[in-house]
Amino acid sequence: MTRDSKDVQEELDRLREDVRQLREVVNILVNVVMEEELTEEEEDFSTYSGKEGRFNLLN
């Protein structure tokens, strides 16, 4: 392997590791957003009390 090809291979390895780390960060951010949306939805549903607060599909 020549020096140039060795440099290219090392750079590719570094880039692969960077992409792997970025995927982990994106996955964490998506999980945080999804958990936050679930929490907000639970709060929305918990504010309704009785029949007067619900949407009636038959109307």
Side-chain angles (χ1 to χ4, degrees), residues 3-55:
R3 179 71 181 145
D4 288 336
S5 62
K6 192 175 232 180
D7 290 343
V8 169
Q9 184 62 42
E10 288 174 359
E11 182 66 18
L12 279 172
D13 291 341
R14 281 192 296 271
L15 289 171
R16 284 186 181 118
E17 179 63 22
D18 289 347
V19 168
R20 187 189 64 74
Q21 290 176 359
L22 286 171
R23 282 182 181 157
E24 288 179 11
V25 169
V26 168
N27 284 335
I28 290 169
L29 291 173
V30 167
N31 288 336
V32 167
V33 168
M34 296 300 288
E35 287 176 8
E36 193 170 297
E37 285 180 2
L38 287 175
T39 303
E40 289 173 1
E41 288 176 7
E42 290 170 358
E43 290 173 2
D44 290 344
F45 288 120
S46 65
T47 59
Y48 297 123
S49 60
K51 291 182 180 180
E52 66 276 354
R54 288 194 229 158
F55 179 72

